Amino acid sequence: QEDLVESGGGSVQAGESLRLSCASSRFTHSSGCAGWYRQPLGKEREEVATIDRDGSTIYADSVKGRFTLSKDNAKNTLDLHMNSLKPEDTAMYYCAAGGSWCQYGMNRWGKGTLVTISS
């Protein structure tokens, strides 16, 4: 049984929105660090947004003001709301979960969901 299951990827036009969702029994009121990462084709994986044990969030500069992370402990989901999408947002997006605090890094990864933005 998969640990982190992503959904919501797809192909949209620039300027449109998408919502990615990650389901995991790990996402509870007492869970630790979790977040979304992405890897454009042929490039390194990069951090998109993370939420720490205390609820604090960090966003990559490239997505600030456009992407929003939301964690629903009752539904055990971690969603990434993506607005004003740009072609450079095209990538495979991965959900991740880690230890108690984000400083300790991620140790669980989903299989990814593809997001394609056309101009």
Side-chain angles (χ1 to χ4, degrees), residues 7 18-22 35-38 48-50 59 63 67-70 78-83 93-94:
S7 62
L18 276 175
R19 179 174 64 90
L20 305 183
S21 187
C22 179
W36 284 90
Y37 290 70
R38 67 186 182 187
V48 176
T50 59
Y59 294 90
V63 307
F67 290 13
T68 303
L69 204 57
S70 64
L78 179 69
D79 289 355
L80 183 67
H81 303 264
M82 306 187 295
N83 298 317
Y93 283 71
Y94 297 92

Side-chain angles (χ1 to χ4, degrees), residues 63-101:
V63 307
K64 278 181 184 175
R66 300 189 299 121
F67 290 13
T68 303
L69 204 57
S70 64
K71 185 166 168 278
D72 189 325
N73 295 326
K75 296 181 180 179
N76 302 129
T77 57
L78 179 69
D79 289 355
L80 183 67
H81 303 264
M82 306 187 295
N83 298 317
S84 303
L85 284 161
K86 304 175 181 180
E88 51 263 44
D89 293 319
T90 295
M92 184 70 81
Y93 283 71
Y94 297 92
C95 177
S100 299
W101 297 95

